[in-house]
Amino acid sequence: MILVPLRRAAVVVTAALAALLALAAPAAAHGADAPDGTDYRAEVIALAPARPGLTVRVVEAGARLELVNRTARDVEVLGYSGEPYLRVGPGGVYENRRSPATYLNQTIAGDTNLSPEADPAATPVWRRVAKGQSVRWHDQRALWLESSPPAQVTADPGRPQRVRDWVVPLRDGDQAIEVRGTLDWVPPPDAYPWWVAATLGFLAVAAAGLAPAGTATGVRALRGVGALLALGGLATVAFTVGRELDAGADGLGGVLGLLNGQVWMLLTGLGAIAAGGYALARREAADFALALAGACLTIFAGFANIAVLSRSVAPVVWPATAARVLVVLILATGAGALGAGVLRLHAASR
């Protein structure tokens, strides 16, 4: 009977979910305050004067700046009062415990309480925080922290416009260096067409569950839903990689090293691919696998990224439109597989 394979599948899936949660828990802090989408685009436009081996870029959809120093000299990032804040060089990354920026930059909102030892006029007290020659940090000079838009944006929100030019000062020995950048308002897109596309896709995929399971049409429908669910899983993996690249990963090795930051979404995508293959092979309890994997894909990869549909700047390396297409595909195939699986399970139970 169908109850036996269902029980076996339930045991396997429960164990897998427990393992995934255990893996995801310690990684939750990675990029925890990076936005899922924003309407403000921060960009670095110049490093003046330029230094070979010294680069600065914006990562995590504008949430952080990243400085890479491949020179043989230490470079300091100056804080909001001109005090030494970070030091990056051959010896690693150090932060000044006396700099107020050390505490204010712990969150994107800058709402961390200052330590009693914070004093920008005091002699720096350096503490090593990382190996290597790169560092990422929130910087209020490159962010818009207010809950409401600037006055000029409120007056004309439908037009792209400059919010401000910003400068982050660096120091190389006695030489002053400026990281110059811009912060622009980019009008958000209309999310309605994307929701319509996701809904129509969901209905089309879920309708395959109405085909009688014991017929040739039902077999083709099962395989079709499995293939579409696997496609949604591939879209999830692609979105995860794009998000990690935007978070500062450099090349394939960097992506593999940073995937713990998005482990839940990544493994959800891989699980959807596996469940799709399970359905394509017409294995026992394939309907249950489709429903469960579809639910996970919808919640942990689709709804977790719905901000992309209504924000102009997505936390991926490619254009925001491509990110919206991926999210719509994830929602349509995940919810559709859930619907189709439930319909087939209901028919089998009768």
Side-chain angles (χ1 to χ4, degrees):
M1 301 296 287
I2 193 171
L3 292 178
V4 175
L6 274 178
R7 291 194 190 102
R8 292 174 180 171
V11 171
V12 173
V13 169
T14 300
L17 288 176
L20 292 180
L21 284 171
L23 285 170
H30 174 78
D33 55 354
D36 293 322
T38 179
D39 296 322
Y40 298 92
R41 175 177 290 121
E43 293 181 319
V44 173
I45 59 173
L47 190 64
R51 285 284 191 278
L54 183 65
T55 59
V56 182
R57 62 174 174 169
V58 174
V59 298
E60 293 183 9
R64 285 181 171 87
L65 299 180
E66 179 192 64
L67 182 148
V68 179
N69 178 18
R70 295 189 176 91
T71 71
R73 299 165 55 89
D74 286 335
V75 171
E76 292 180 354
V77 179
L78 303 186
Y80 303 121
S81 298
E83 80 283 2
Y85 159 43
L86 295 169
R87 191 178 75 203
V88 187
V93 179
Y94 294 78
E95 65 179 11
N96 176 15
R97 302 296 296 172
R98 307 303 294 272
S99 170
T102 294
Y103 309 95
L104 294 174
N105 292 349
Q106 288 179 6
T107 65
I108 194 172
D111 52 4
T112 307
N113 293 328
L114 292 180
S115 168
E117 66 177 329
D119 181 0
T123 301
V125 176
W126 295 106
R127 181 177 73 111
R128 189 179 184 184
V129 294
K131 299 179 181 179
Q133 293 177 259
S134 66
V135 63
R136 303 184 186 101
W137 74 100
H138 297 302
D139 200 301
Q140 297 178 13
R141 291 163 289 205
L143 296 168
W144 181 257
L145 300 178
E146 303 296 329
S147 58
S148 57
Q152 69 269 30
V153 171
T154 302
D156 189 7
R159 178 176 62 86
Q161 52 190 296
R162 179 65 42 83
V163 174
R164 65 166 173 259
D165 298 312
W166 51 266
V167 172
V168 173
L170 310 178
R171 188 163 58 203
D172 179 0
D174 296 330
Q175 178 70 49
I177 305 173
E178 290 185 343
V179 180
R180 298 173 183 170
T182 58
L183 183 65
D184 294 325
W185 165 263
V186 184
D190 182 3
Y192 179 75
W194 298 102
W195 278 112
V196 169
T199 302
L200 292 177
F202 150 66
L203 292 174
V205 178
L210 297 173
T215 65
T217 301
V219 171
R220 288 194 296 269
L222 176 65
R223 288 176 170 171
V225 174
L228 289 171
L229 180 62
L231 181 62
L234 288 172
T236 300
V237 173
F239 192 96
T240 305
V241 172
R243 186 155 188 162
E244 289 302 327
L245 289 172
D246 184 66
D250 187 10
L252 179 59
V255 171
L256 294 176
L258 287 173
L259 283 180
N260 64 327
Q262 302 288 333
V263 65
W264 183 243
M265 191 166 73
L266 173 68
L267 293 180
T268 298
L270 294 176
I273 295 172
Y278 196 77
L280 284 169
R282 298 173 58 193
R283 302 292 297 274
E284 289 184 318
D287 299 336
F288 179 78
L290 285 177
L292 183 60
C296 291
L297 196 69
T298 303
I299 295 170
F300 297 112
F303 287 132
N305 293 290
I306 57 172
V308 168
L309 302 182
S310 58
R311 293 290 181 262
S312 55
V313 179
V316 293
V317 292
W318 42 71
T321 300
R324 294 182 200 113
V325 170
L326 289 177
V327 171
V328 166
L329 183 60
I330 292 167
L331 287 170
T333 56
L338 170 61
V342 169
L343 287 172
R344 291 174 64 91
L345 287 170
H346 178 67
S349 69
R350 296 174 58 186

